[in-house]
Amino acid sequence: MKAIVSGGGSGGHIFPAVAIANAIKRRWPEAEILFVGAEGRMEMEKVPAAGYEIKGLPIAGLQRKLTPQNIVKNLQLPFKMLKSNRMVKSILSDFKPDIVVGVGGFASEPTLKAAAKMGFPTLLQEQNSYAGLTNRMLARDARTICVAYDGMDRFFPKDKIVFTGNPVRADIEQMNCTREEGCAAFDIDPTGKVILSVGGSLGARSINQMIMGHLHFFRENNLQLIWQTGRWMYDDARRAVEQAGVDRWVKVHQFISRMDQAYAAVDLVISRAGAIAISELCLVGKPVVLIPSPNVAEDHQTKNALALVDRGAALMVRDADCDNQALPIVKELLASNDRMASMRDAIGKMAVRGAAEKIVDQISKIVR
């Protein structure tokens, strides 16, 4: 069994990719798995850390903000695409995979497109409720498209769609961590109310700025916060917490590798509405205030969030309103035990377990 898994760019693509690879290894312990990602992106660090080999392509996305530096980057894109296409063909010819799996991200388009042209079977894993343009184009040649939301025949051929849910990290799906263990890991008092703020693996500027501007809120209301800032705002956040003298209430982390501990510790989550974050929240059954990123293709995070809001499983605050509205809503929600219980019940009913194994079932059918 030889598989190529391609994609990345953020944790929302990387964590499902690694979960699928791990499930392949459980099914076929002798399987050879190769990742194909984009140079300079998060997958080039996280995939080797998970124990897998990865090849990096010089592929990049179009820079929409037209600064002089970005204009130069955009002019380089056609050459990067040509080089990436040549590299992908060479990788496929040398590795000769039985299956090529695309999880989204810059690298997945040239990899799956070349694989289909060269006769290697491909499988798509679409995480969002609104399919991106790249996966809609790749769907034509894919054997199977694994989805996590109903109604995806709006975007893909109905006969290729299989509902599997989104694969998430095994420690979150199993959730063996207790609240006491989680609180101890973050130096948090388990008898108090605890909030988790997470803007995705790369951070969320507007959420971080909202928290940074209202650090007094946590001390005044005796609420504890586990705050994942991402790389770009970590140093500023840490300094702001120290200067405000709220380090007893606010615990700053650049990146949380043990999210099972974080979820176990908290009562409520403030989060972006990435598909994998939502899948994790459903599995752990935590009330959540979703603040969708406005900087994503086709505003798909808002559509992801509304899938929960419409079922009473989450509250949503638009990004432009988060500075004024998010924390008052959090305070009001934490004060209502009935509302919290109702949301926990509703979001828990949306959980889909065993997604990675279901995807590997489809891979097995294709390979056979």
Side-chain angles (χ1 to χ4, degrees):
M1 175 62 185
K2 301 178 77 173
I4 284 179
V5 183
S6 183
S10 70
H13 294 310
I14 297 164
F15 297 136
V18 171
I20 292 168
N22 290 341
I24 291 172
K25 275 288 191 182
R26 286 193 295 272
R27 188 75 56 93
W28 297 282
E30 300 302 317
E32 294 180 46
I33 300 173
L34 177 66
F35 280 74
V36 178
E39 290 176 355
R41 303 293 290 187
M42 189 179 177
E43 58 265 30
M44 302 306 294
E45 174 190 347
K46 297 297 180 186
V47 168
Y52 295 103
E53 181 185 357
I54 185 168
K55 302 281 189 182
L57 306 179
I59 191 86
L62 184 70
Q63 302 294 320
R64 301 182 190 281
K65 190 175 180 181
L66 295 181
T67 64
Q69 185 180 15
N70 286 346
I71 289 171
V72 172
K73 289 181 179 179
N74 286 342
L75 291 172
Q76 294 172 341
L77 279 181
F79 303 100
K80 290 183 175 182
M81 180 63 80
L82 287 170
K83 186 177 179 181
S84 295
N85 287 338
R86 288 197 300 270
M87 289 176 66
V88 162
K89 289 175 184 176
S90 176
I91 290 167
L92 290 164
S93 296
D94 292 343
F95 192 75
K96 296 181 174 60
D98 297 298
I99 187 73
V100 180
V101 180
V103 297
F106 296 139
S108 65
E109 181 182 9
T111 305
L112 269 75
K113 194 177 287 185
K117 284 183 179 178
M118 295 171 72
F120 297 107
T122 64
L123 176 145
L124 287 179
Q125 199 266 318
E126 173 57 60
Q127 293 121 25
N128 293 291
S129 61
Y130 194 92
L133 180 61
T134 298
N135 272 0
R136 297 205 299 267
M137 291 189 300
L138 293 171
R140 183 183 64 185
D141 296 316
R143 298 280 185 90
T144 302
I145 304 157
C146 297
V147 302
Y149 290 88
D150 295 326
M152 297 302 288
D153 52 352
R154 294 176 294 160
F155 310 108
F156 303 128
K158 192 171 184 177
D159 60 334
K160 294 184 178 185
I161 295 173
V162 179
F163 183 91
T164 59
N166 279 323
V168 303
R169 289 167 279 190
D171 54 355
I172 292 169
E173 185 158 359
Q174 293 159 7
M175 273 300 287
N176 295 320
C177 187
T178 66
R179 178 181 173 91
E180 287 70 24
E181 290 169 343
C183 287
F186 293 96
D187 190 24
I188 290 285
D189 177 7
T191 65
K193 296 286 188 182
V194 187
I195 302 162
L196 169 67
S197 174
V198 54
S201 56
L202 302 176
R205 180 174 294 275
S206 55
I207 296 177
N208 286 339
Q209 287 177 335
M210 176 267 292
I211 291 171
M212 205 178 299
H214 297 87
L215 289 172
H216 62 280
F217 169 87
F218 300 96
R219 179 173 56 199
E220 291 173 359
N221 293 282
N222 196 29
L223 296 173
Q224 300 171 95
L225 175 71
I226 300 171
W227 182 12
Q228 179 180 284
T229 62
R231 180 172 51 181
W232 308 113
M233 293 187 71
Y234 173 68
D235 291 334
D236 290 342
R238 191 177 56 180
R239 279 193 295 268
V241 167
E242 289 174 358
Q243 290 169 6
V246 295
D247 50 330
R248 176 184 158 192
W249 292 271
V250 180
K251 310 295 181 179
V252 184
H253 296 265
Q254 177 177 317
F255 179 78
I256 300 171
S257 57
R258 287 290 305 274
M259 283 299 295
D260 59 321
Q261 293 178 335
Y263 286 136
V266 304
D267 300 283
L268 182 144
V269 181
I270 300 170
S271 176
R272 285 299 197 205
I276 301 306
I278 286 178
S279 295
E280 290 181 352
L281 289 162
C282 291
L283 284 166
V284 299
K286 296 291 178 177
V288 58
V289 176
L290 295 169
I291 305 173
S293 171
N295 306 312
V296 294
E298 285 119 348
D299 195 27
H300 68 254
Q301 286 204 7
T302 296
K303 298 175 178 71
N304 290 347
L306 289 172
L308 272 70
V309 172
D310 291 345
R311 292 170 172 81
L315 299 178
M316 186 180 84
V317 176
R318 298 204 175 271
D319 188 79
D321 301 324
C322 82
D323 190 59
N324 297 322
Q325 295 184 12
L327 291 180
I329 287 173
V330 164
K331 182 180 177 181
E332 182 182 349
L333 185 54
L334 284 170
S336 173
N337 291 333
D338 289 345
R339 188 88 183 274
M340 292 276 285
S342 173
M343 288 177 68
R344 278 194 295 269
D345 182 60
I347 199 169
K349 288 177 179 175
M350 297 181 68
V352 179
R353 298 186 178 275
E357 299 297 335
K358 293 173 186 174
I359 291 168
V360 173
D361 288 342
Q362 298 305 313
I363 290 172
S364 181
K365 289 179 182 179
I366 293 170
V367 171
R368 277 207 304 271

